[in-house]
């Protein structure tokens, strides 16, 4: 099915919410219209999605909630599934192709649903060695880690401190920084220290046992995945960066005074916000298929348990990602 007039279902099952608030506001409905693929968009039958912190923030009325123009809202950025309609006959992603990708939510409808219409430059063929649930856990987190390291201009031999190294973005950032030849120092809780070393961290710091900055030699860069929402982690990080070094802050709204504090400390500071990019995703795919990059799933929930999944992510201390299977 490649043409625009091929048969398609009219409605689909999805998890939506009618007003911002707690996880309990999420509900299932089978009355959501299947998105219509336009221009270069590919229609994908979704087999799995995944949760990211931006999902829970947006659902609660923060994050990118200001971009939602109507309710009920359908969120979720990550997806993995099978192409059911290509935009034209010679398109590289033909029906039957297993793909994964990331949606620019809320500009488009999200992936907590049975179908998504995704721009061609937002998706890539799924890694052959990953299941759909594993693949769905990759795009947003791995591309965020990739972009944050690019923003920091990480080079071989540099010392890089990565906060929350066992989390969704963090566990990719640790691996990718190590692959770039950096000396990686990662923070995490006590039960994740061995895990961080397995990912490639040369040093793993238990932030619950001591302040991470105590006894830490200066670093060239910090990948800040926490900000100041916990124990002023971001501000304290400035004191361990060499003069002229860099700090990349990722979580939106986590450190309002970030720019001013970084400048005062003589450190180059930049936020980072990810965007879908099939070219980067294809490079990530190559690393996954060559067993150089692994994805870790904390748990997988069926779509009907989306409320529990959101609550689990908000409880914190998730190792890796939480995936959602779509019936």
């Amino acid at each position: 099915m490649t043409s625009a007039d091929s048969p398609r279902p009219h409605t689909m099952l999805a998890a939506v919410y009618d007003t911002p608030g707690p996880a309990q506001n999420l509900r299932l409905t089978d009355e959501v219209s299947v998105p219509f693929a336009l221009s270069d968009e590919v229609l994908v039958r979704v087999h799995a999605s995944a949760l990211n912190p931006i999902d829970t923030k947006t659902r609660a009325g923060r994050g990118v909630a200001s971009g939602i123009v109507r309710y009920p809202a359908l969120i979720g950025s990550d997806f993995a599934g099978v192409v059911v309609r290509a935009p034209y006959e010679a398109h590289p992603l033909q029906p039957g192709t297993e793909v994964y990708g990331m949606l620019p939510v809320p500009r488009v409808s999200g992936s907590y649903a049975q179908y998504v219409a995704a721009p061609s430059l937002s998706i890539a063929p799924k890694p052959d060695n990953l299941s759909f649930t594993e693949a769905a856990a990759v795009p947003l987190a791995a591309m965020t880690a990739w972009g944050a390291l690019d923003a920091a201009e990480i080079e071989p031999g540099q010392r890089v401190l990565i906060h929350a190294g066992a989390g969704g973005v963090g566990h990719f950032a640790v691996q990718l920084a190590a692959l770039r030849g950096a000396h990686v120092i990662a923070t995490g809780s006590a039960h994740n220290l061995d895990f961080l070393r397995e990912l490639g961290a040369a040093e793993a710091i238990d932030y619950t046992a001591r302040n991470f900055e105590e006894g830490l030699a200066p670093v060239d860069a910090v990948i800040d995945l926490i900000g100041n929402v916990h124990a002023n982690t971001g501000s304290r990080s400035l004191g361990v960066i060499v003069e002229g070094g860099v700090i990349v802050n990722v979580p939106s709204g986590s450190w309002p005074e970030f720019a001013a504090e970084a400048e005062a400390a003589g450190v180059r500071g930049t936020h980072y916000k990810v965007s879908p990019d099939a070219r980067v995703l294809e490079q990530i795919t190559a690393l996954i298929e060559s067993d150089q990059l692994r994805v870790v799933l904390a748990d997988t929930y069926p779509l009907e348990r989306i409320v529990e999944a959101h609550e689990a992510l908000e409880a914190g201390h998730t190792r890796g990602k939480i995936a959602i299977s779509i019936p």
Side-chain angles (χ1 to χ4, degrees), residues 163-175:
H163 288 303
V169 174
H171 88 288
F172 286 119
V174 170
Q175 295 177 81

Side-chain angles (χ1 to χ4, degrees), residues 13-324:
L13 183 69
V16 302
Y17 62 102
D18 301 295
T19 185
Q24 288 78 7
N25 285 16
L26 290 161
R27 63 180 177 86
L28 289 188
T29 175
D30 59 3
E31 298 179 349
V32 175
S33 296
V34 171
F36 194 87
L38 301 172
S39 187
D40 74 322
E41 291 179 338
V42 178
L43 186 65
V44 177
R45 170 64 171 92
V46 179
H47 286 237
S49 181
L51 301 192
N52 294 285
I54 191 64
D55 297 351
T56 58
K57 289 181 181 179
T58 302
R59 185 219 69 228
R62 305 188 307 276
V64 294
S66 59
I68 296 176
V69 296
R70 66 177 61 87
Y71 289 92
L74 172 53
I75 57 174
S77 295
D78 289 323
F79 65 90
V82 178
V83 174
V84 295
R85 182 171 304 158
Y88 53 87
E89 289 77 6
H91 193 276
L93 301 176
Q94 286 296 304
T97 305
E98 296 183 351
V99 296
Y100 71 151
M102 170 192 163
L103 296 170
V105 175
R107 295 300 186 193
V108 301
S109 293
S111 59
Y112 296 171
Q114 292 177 315
Y115 291 88
V116 297
S120 295
L121 292 180
S122 299
I123 60 179
K126 180 182 75 66
D128 290 335
N129 56 340
L130 294 187
S131 66
F132 284 113
T133 50
E134 290 170 330
V138 172
L140 187 147
M143 285 194 287
T144 297
W146 186 287
L149 293 170
D150 279 351
E153 300 178 357
I154 300 302
E155 297 179 353
Q158 288 187 320
R159 291 173 54 82
V160 181
L161 172 62
I162 299 174
H163 288 303
V169 174
H171 88 288
F172 286 119
V174 170
Q175 295 177 81
L176 291 171
L179 286 171
R180 295 188 184 200
H183 178 96
V184 180
I185 306 105
T187 63
S189 56
H191 78 282
N192 280 323
L193 298 185
D194 288 340
F195 173 66
L196 292 171
R197 296 186 187 100
E198 291 171 6
L199 294 176
E203 302 177 46
I205 299 174
D206 178 5
Y207 72 89
T208 67
R210 65 177 175 88
N211 292 330
F212 67 84
E213 62 268 39
E214 293 177 4
L216 179 64
V219 301
D220 300 287
V222 172
I223 305 301
D224 173 27
L225 304 177
I226 297 178
N228 276 351
V229 297
H230 177 76
N232 288 328
T233 298
S235 294
R236 289 162 50 209
S237 299
L238 296 173
V240 302
I241 305 173
V242 299
E243 184 177 356
V246 60
I247 181 168
V248 181
N249 175 257
V250 176
S252 59
S254 64
W255 186 0
E257 303 82 13
F258 169 72
E261 289 190 31
E263 182 179 5
V267 169
R268 179 170 71 89
T270 178
H271 293 93
Y272 180 74
K273 299 183 185 301
V274 68
S275 59
D277 190 334
R279 295 166 300 180
V280 171
L281 197 54
E282 288 169 353
Q283 294 180 74
I284 291 170
T285 299
L287 293 175
I288 292 172
E289 291 186 334
S290 61
D291 294 324
Q292 297 181 77
L293 185 67
R294 58 186 282 211
V295 55
V296 176
L297 284 181
D299 211 341
T300 299
Y301 292 81
L303 184 63
E304 59 264 29
R305 293 173 58 196
I306 188 67
V307 171
E308 294 176 57
H310 268 237
E311 290 175 337
L313 184 61
E314 289 181 301
H317 307 295
T318 299
R319 178 185 287 188
K321 295 290 297 292
I322 293 175
I324 301 295

